[in-house]
Amino acid sequence: MKNTLFFGFALLLLSSGESHAQAHIVDCVSLNTNMKHIESLADSGQYRQTLEPEKKPFFDFSKQGPFSDYLEYERNRILAENPKGRLPCPIATSVSTHLYGDKSLQVVDLISPFQLNAPKNKSEPTHRGVLLIHGLTDSPYLFHDLAEQFFQQGITVRTLLLPGHGTAPSALVDVSQQQWRIATRYAVAAMLEDFDTVYLGGFSTGGALLIDYLNQHDLTVAEEAKIKGVMLWSPASRAKSSMAWAAQYMAWFKDYMESSGDIDFAKYESFPFNAAAQVHNLMQRIQPEKLAYVPDIPLFLVAAQADQTIDTQSTLSLLTHWHLSGARKSKEQDTLIYYGENARLKSLSRSITVYNPTECRGDDYCGSIKGISHTATTNAPTNPHYGWGGTYRSCEHLMGTDNYRVCKQTDTPILGETTVETLHDTPQLQRLTFNPYFEQMTDALTQFIKTTQ
């Protein structure tokens, strides 16, 4: 009750203009630019705690209700519990334009799960759909750029909002990976019920959830035949940190591994120990030696050598296991997009199609990039929030240092992955949040769709 009153009072100040520091926070863009306010938020935790609704909406994933009911439930939950949910957010994407036209947007419009219906095409009578599942601390906004690519190919796009996401970081303090798995099972079942041809895609934790789901071998032969491809971007295979196992024990004593201002409307910045513990437990379920079943479904995988969140070598081992398992007729369609040195791929089977993009096509940003980060693969350089010149700069790894303000405000940012070497050479490094090779990746993705459908 005490926290509820505090945050309600803080929001009242925000709207009334009684606090000079907050008076200029009028939308999700100014939230990212008022440095005085940004630096105070990490201490106040204003956006770290969920709001307490008068009546909590409830959606029962165990009952296969219509996906439209699920979308309505999640939107209402975001409005009830997210302290930034109703904040104006003038960041239009092609997806938001398809969904809402020219209406004035709020945060809820950009982070809610959505269904983007592709126009019916007489030359493509098969009803095709793709399900996209985001990563830990993310939201479906992460897929706005990729969703447009599928939409242009006549594929209806659905996204899932994982339990504990879309509101505030405190919602991850008590969440379990079992809840994520139940939600995934519901969303996949809805896809198989509603579409003739299905693709499944996941980023990071979303990718691990799809691998785990398929490993359970709960699909009938007819259902598995509907799934024409699995697409994984930086899938959570094994944590880069060798201490990931300890997170579950630290969660007994402390809620947050990192406490930040949470000014990114589309992603949590504060990071609970429990969140790390749950994704670690999930990753343990999908280690190659535990994958008893690999379906005969083509795999499209995107990975970066410099990734500091996930161990890319473990991801390549997972790909090898998938590729070589059983008598897979679809193995020739397995595809890897790899951002790194070709020498690291010597052990891969030659029957995997490998793309190793090296030509950066954005003259204005190519010279500013040092390595492809874990957070970069799904976003286009033109993304109005995460792209080059976007409204958000990822500098949380510098929180509490003198370099944080420089990273947030410099006119000449250097972007990349937060490796020890890169941070040593560039102490004010901004973590890369877009893919400079997005166009080449989507070209390969288009070819994958054509080949597998």
Side-chain angles (χ1 to χ4, degrees), residues 269-429:
E269 293 177 334
S270 296
F271 193 76
F273 276 106
N274 179 63
Q278 295 307 315
V279 77
H280 173 73
N281 292 339
L282 174 64
M283 288 188 290
Q284 294 305 299
R285 293 174 57 88
I286 64 165
Q287 294 310 301
E289 64 273 13
K290 295 182 180 179
L291 294 181
Y293 178 73
V294 173
D296 192 6
I297 300 172
L299 182 64
F300 180 93
L301 194 148
V302 181
Q305 178 181 324
D307 194 321
Q308 288 300 290
T309 300
I310 297 300
D311 177 43
T312 301
Q313 200 57 48
S314 294
T315 299
L316 296 179
S317 297
L318 191 61
L319 169 61
T320 296
H321 178 82
W322 183 294
H323 183 71
L324 299 178
S325 291
R328 292 181 60 238
K329 297 177 182 179
S330 63
K331 65 187 300 182
E332 298 296 328
Q333 296 166 325
D334 291 343
T335 302
L336 171 66
I337 310 290
Y338 185 71
Y339 305 118
E341 300 169 359
N342 260 325
R344 299 292 185 99
L345 306 177
K346 288 182 178 179
S347 61
L348 284 185
S349 170
R350 293 186 179 181
S351 54
I352 298 175
T353 300
V354 177
Y355 295 92
N356 185 219
T358 57
E359 181 187 354
C360 180
R361 298 176 184 174
D363 294 337
D364 50 351
Y365 56 74
C366 291
S368 302
I369 294 174
K370 296 180 179 293
I372 306 302
S373 71
H374 177 75
T375 54
T377 54
T378 64
N379 298 314
T382 55
N383 188 287
H385 184 56
Y386 287 132
W388 177 251
T391 59
Y392 180 75
R393 293 187 176 189
S394 180
C395 303
E396 301 319 294
H397 54 287
L398 300 174
M399 178 63 75
T401 73
D402 294 337
N403 291 319
Y404 179 77
R405 184 179 284 257
V406 177
C407 175
K408 284 287 188 183
Q409 295 183 312
T410 179
D411 293 329
T412 57
I414 301 298
L415 305 86
E417 182 57 294
T418 55
T419 65
V420 173
E421 296 81 5
T422 306
L423 285 174
H424 179 268
D425 296 337
T426 312
Q428 300 88 20
L429 182 81

Side-chain angles (χ1 to χ4, degrees), residues 36-324:
K36 185 175 182 181
H37 186 50
I38 288 172
E39 292 170 342
S40 69
L41 282 172
D43 294 328
S44 71
Q46 177 178 334
Y47 298 127
R48 197 176 305 139
Q49 300 291 328
T50 61
L51 302 177
E52 293 294 336
E54 293 181 6
K55 182 179 180 181
K56 278 201 172 186
F58 178 75
F59 186 84
D60 188 353
F61 285 111
S62 66
K63 296 179 180 179
Q64 200 60 42
F67 197 73
S68 57
D69 287 356
Y70 163 74
L71 295 179
E72 181 181 5
Y73 154 77
E74 286 292 10
R75 183 179 179 86
N76 290 335
R77 186 175 66 85
I78 292 169
L79 287 171
E81 299 180 28
N82 188 325
K84 298 192 292 284
R86 299 180 188 272
L87 193 67
C89 199
I91 296 181
T93 68
S94 57
V95 168
S96 71
T97 301
H98 289 311
L99 294 174
Y100 307 111
D102 296 329
K103 86 165 217 178
S104 297
L105 299 173
Q106 296 178 314
V107 166
V108 64
D109 299 316
L110 292 166
I111 66 172
S112 291
F114 59 86
Q115 176 165 320
L116 181 60
N117 294 312
K120 293 183 179 180
N121 187 339
K122 292 182 180 179
S123 64
E124 293 282 356
T126 301
H127 196 198
R128 299 182 298 165
V130 59
L131 172 68
L132 300 174
I133 305 177
H134 64 80
L136 189 62
T137 74
D138 292 319
S139 73
Y141 178 82
L142 186 79
F143 289 119
H144 275 223
D145 296 332
L146 282 170
E148 179 65 19
Q149 301 298 315
F150 290 109
F151 177 81
Q152 292 299 329
Q153 296 181 63
I155 301 174
T156 292
V157 182
R158 281 182 178 176
T159 56
L160 178 71
L161 181 63
L162 294 175
H165 293 78
T167 55
S170 66
L172 288 177
V173 171
D174 296 315
V175 78
S176 72
Q177 50 95 12
Q178 184 178 12
Q179 291 175 281
W180 301 336
R181 289 163 44 217
I182 291 172
T184 298
R185 188 182 308 128
Y186 161 81
V188 175
M191 291 295 295
L192 294 170
E193 182 176 333
D194 297 340
F195 296 93
D196 302 318
T197 296
V198 171
Y199 287 90
L200 303 175
F203 167 73
S204 194
T205 298
L209 285 165
L210 289 174
I211 295 171
D212 177 74
Y213 172 84
L214 293 170
N215 182 47
Q216 304 310 305
H217 200 185
D218 290 334
L219 299 174
T220 66
V221 173
E223 288 174 333
E224 184 172 314
K226 277 189 175 186
I227 303 175
K228 302 302 181 182
V230 174
M231 300 158 295
L232 309 177
W233 289 268
S234 306
S237 55
R238 187 185 295 274
K240 187 79 170 182
S241 171
S242 60
M243 295 299 293
W245 61 270
Q248 59 184 323
Y249 303 108
M250 293 300 297
W252 296 348
F253 306 101
K254 188 177 181 181
D255 284 343
Y256 293 96
M257 184 183 303
E258 299 170 3
S259 296
S260 191
D262 294 295
I263 60 171
D264 185 352
F265 75 84
K267 177 183 175 72
Y268 301 158
E269 293 177 334
S270 296
F271 193 76
F273 276 106
N274 179 63
Q278 295 307 315
V279 77
H280 173 73
N281 292 339
L282 174 64
M283 288 188 290
Q284 294 305 299
R285 293 174 57 88
I286 64 165
Q287 294 310 301
E289 64 273 13
K290 295 182 180 179
L291 294 181
Y293 178 73
V294 173
D296 192 6
I297 300 172
L299 182 64
F300 180 93
L301 194 148
V302 181
Q305 178 181 324
D307 194 321
Q308 288 300 290
T309 300
I310 297 300
D311 177 43
T312 301
Q313 200 57 48
S314 294
T315 299
L316 296 179
S317 297
L318 191 61
L319 169 61
T320 296
H321 178 82
W322 183 294
H323 183 71
L324 299 178

